């Protein structure tokens, strides 16, 4: 108990002076400024006490070396600007996030560090950018965080990012298999939403390939498997499944603005793949109206500007509501683990 009180008081004092606090395994703590770390030894710049008689100048410091094996954790100095960057940065700030990741990377395994959060944010922005080289880089970053981060939450976030990167790089089958296991094993809504989004992306990609290979699907009566599934049946199955998965967060966790808007924008994509601009228009309008601060609102607004006036004047809201109601019946929180074998 005395140790906890001591550490807490020291941390408060260090925070007031913007210092890092190194918490040692023996119960002691040192406050100062981290000057370097080579993987085995940390160098900490600490203030020297001023006796008041002029022997030691005010503000003088000394650098001490602390073996990594003696360190239990580090309370890194608070930096509101950094915290905001790792929370809110968009693609336009990706370079800043990358630099922060490079600064933090050496601390990825250090308890209480922000390295895992920095790596995950960088990887997520790379996926948003979406070029093949960005996706490949994101996969590397996510794997590093997943394999080495001290925080279980960061490792799970990195795992989900890795699966999204696998889908984006064309390795959807393995990613969906892992995502399905996550959906079955966890009741955490955040984890479940991410697992469903991974499967939604994979299903959307499968639908897109299917439509390219079967452009006349609405007229094609061929059976494509031993169960008698026709081409048109497969199209409807993929279309419905993708919508169910994309609409999941908006239907059941609509207060999570970022995830709901992301899923609705995915639904816009599915409607557009199906050639149904009327339904896509209504979902895009919902994004703009319900989640105006989300990045997807700008995308939805830009899409709406491309539509002809006669379509914009049409009221297709009822059709969109019916579509969402059908999706709600197909994928509820209670049935989250009953995923089909072929999403």
């Amino acid at each position: 108990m005395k140790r906890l009180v001591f550490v807490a008081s020291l941390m408060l004092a260090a925070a007031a002076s913007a210092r890092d606090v190194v918490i040692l395994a023996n119960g002691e703590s040192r406050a100062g400024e981290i000057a370097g770390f080579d993987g085995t030894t940390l160098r900490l710049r600490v203030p020297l006490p001023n006796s008041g008689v002029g022997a030691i100048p005010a503000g003088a410091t000394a650098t001490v070396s602390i073996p990594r094996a003696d360190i239990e954790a580090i309370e890194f100095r608070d930096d509101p600007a950094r915290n905001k960057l790792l929370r809110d940065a968009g693609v336009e700030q990706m370079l800043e996030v990358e630099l922060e990741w490079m600064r933090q990377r050496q601390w990825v395994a250090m308890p209480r560090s922000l390295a895992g959060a920095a790596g995950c944010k960088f990887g997520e922005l790379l996926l948003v950018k979406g070029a093949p080289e960005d996706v490949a880089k994101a996969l590397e970053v996510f794997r590093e965080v997943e394999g080495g981060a001290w925080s279980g939450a960061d490792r799970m976030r990195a795992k989900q990012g890795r699966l999204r990167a696998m889908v984006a790089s064309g390795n959807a089958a393995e990613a969906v298999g892992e995502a399905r296991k996550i959906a079955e094993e966890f009741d955490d809504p955040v984890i479940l939403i991410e697992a469903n989004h991974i499967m939604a992306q994979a299903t959307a990609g499968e639908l897109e390939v299917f439509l390219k290979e079967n452009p006349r699907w609405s007229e094609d009566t061929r059976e494509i498997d031993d169960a008698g599934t026709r081409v048109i049946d497969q199209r409807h199955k993929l279309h419905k499944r993708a919508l169910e998965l994309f609409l999941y967060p908006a239907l059941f966790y609509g207060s999570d603005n970022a995830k709901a808007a992301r899923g609705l924008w995915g639904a816009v994509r599915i409607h557009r793949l199906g050639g149904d601009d009327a339904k896509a228009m209504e979902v895009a309008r919902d994004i703009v109206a319900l989640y105006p601060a989300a990045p997807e609102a700008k995308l939805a607004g830009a899409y709406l500007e491309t539509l002809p006036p006669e379509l914009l004047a049409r009221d297709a809201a009822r059709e969109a509501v019916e579509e969402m109601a059908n999706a709600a019946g197909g994928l509820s929180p209670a049935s989250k683990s009953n995923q089909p074998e072929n999403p």
Side-chain angles (χ1 to χ4, degrees), residues 196-213:
N196 281 330
H197 186 71
I198 291 163
M199 290 186 283
Q201 288 179 303
T203 307
E206 189 177 350
L207 174 61
E208 192 166 8
V209 171
F210 175 87
L211 293 175
K212 287 180 180 178
E213 294 177 349

Side-chain angles (χ1 to χ4, degrees), residues 196-337:
N196 281 330
H197 186 71
I198 291 163
M199 290 186 283
Q201 288 179 303
T203 307
E206 189 177 350
L207 174 61
E208 192 166 8
V209 171
F210 175 87
L211 293 175
K212 287 180 180 178
E213 294 177 349
N214 301 276
R216 300 176 66 85
W217 60 266
S218 62
E219 305 168 8
D220 198 330
T221 59
R222 289 176 300 136
E223 294 184 356
I224 58 176
D225 60 28
D226 294 337
T229 304
R230 298 173 300 162
V231 169
I232 190 172
D233 299 330
Q234 182 66 3
R235 180 270 177 191
H236 292 333
K237 176 183 176 182
L238 292 172
H239 181 88
K240 181 176 182 291
R241 183 60 179 163
L243 280 179
E244 289 174 350
L245 291 165
F246 274 129
L247 291 173
Y248 179 85
L251 290 168
F252 300 110
Y253 303 99
S255 60
D256 188 333
N257 293 0
K259 303 298 172 54
R262 181 185 66 180
L264 288 174
W265 182 243
V268 171
R269 173 189 173 190
I270 299 304
H271 285 310
R272 294 180 70 184
L273 282 175
D276 196 336
D277 276 325
K279 290 182 180 178
M281 173 184 69
E282 292 303 324
V283 179
R285 284 173 169 170
D286 284 343
I287 297 172
V288 173
L290 298 174
Y291 308 107
E296 290 80 7
K298 292 183 180 178
L299 299 174
Y303 163 65
L304 291 171
E305 291 178 358
T306 68
L307 299 177
E310 58 271 21
L311 180 58
L312 292 171
R314 175 180 168 184
D315 182 8
R318 180 179 58 80
E319 299 173 22
V321 169
E322 289 177 355
E323 190 82 48
M324 293 186 72
N326 291 336
L331 184 65
S332 65
S335 64
K336 64 179 182 296
S337 63

Side-chain angles (χ1 to χ4, degrees), residues 161-184:
R162 174 177 60 82
L163 296 181
R164 290 198 299 273
M166 289 169 64
V167 171
S169 61
N171 190 9
E174 184 180 351
V176 167
E178 288 193 54
R180 185 181 296 117
K181 290 181 181 179
I182 292 173
E184 292 172 348

Side-chain angles (χ1 to χ4, degrees), residues 17-212:
S17 58
R19 294 177 185 169
D20 303 303
V21 177
V22 179
I23 302 172
L24 304 177
N26 65 5
E28 298 179 359
S29 298
R30 301 294 298 270
E33 179 184 355
I34 294 175
F37 180 60
D38 62 7
T40 58
T41 303
L42 179 143
R43 292 183 294 114
L44 185 69
R45 190 176 297 113
V46 298
L48 293 175
N50 189 343
S51 63
V53 297
I56 299 177
T61 62
T63 301
V64 297
S65 296
I66 305 174
R68 171 63 182 89
D70 294 343
I71 300 173
E72 181 177 311
I74 300 176
E75 286 288 347
F76 293 87
R77 69 187 67 192
D78 187 45
D79 185 340
R82 177 195 60 203
N83 297 342
K84 186 177 188 305
L85 178 72
L86 297 184
R87 183 182 64 248
D88 301 331
V91 175
E92 68 280 358
Q93 294 176 285
M94 192 167 70
L95 178 58
E96 296 174 56
V97 176
E98 180 179 12
L99 292 174
E100 188 61 40
W101 160 238
M102 297 308 296
R103 283 192 291 266
Q104 296 278 346
R105 186 178 181 184
Q106 62 184 335
W107 307 112
V108 70
M110 181 65 70
R112 308 190 194 184
S113 81
L114 293 176
C120 287
K121 186 65 175 180
F122 179 43
E124 288 159 3
L125 293 179
L126 285 167
L127 289 184
V128 172
K129 194 173 179 184
E133 61 271 20
D134 296 318
V135 172
K137 179 65 175 177
L139 192 56
E140 293 177 7
V141 174
F142 285 131
R143 281 174 172 161
E144 183 171 347
V145 175
E146 182 184 5
W150 69 276
S151 165
D154 287 340
R155 291 196 301 272
M156 177 57 74
R157 181 179 172 185
K159 178 191 287 291
Q160 294 162 357
R162 174 177 60 82
L163 296 181
R164 290 198 299 273
M166 289 169 64
V167 171
S169 61
N171 190 9
E174 184 180 351
V176 167
E178 288 193 54
R180 185 181 296 117
K181 290 181 181 179
I182 292 173
E184 292 172 348
E185 294 173 5
F186 290 89
D187 290 327
D188 185 330
V190 174
I191 295 174
L192 184 56
I193 287 171
E194 287 304 311
N196 281 330
H197 186 71
I198 291 163
M199 290 186 283
Q201 288 179 303
T203 307
E206 189 177 350
L207 174 61
E208 192 166 8
V209 171
F210 175 87
L211 293 175
K212 287 180 180 178

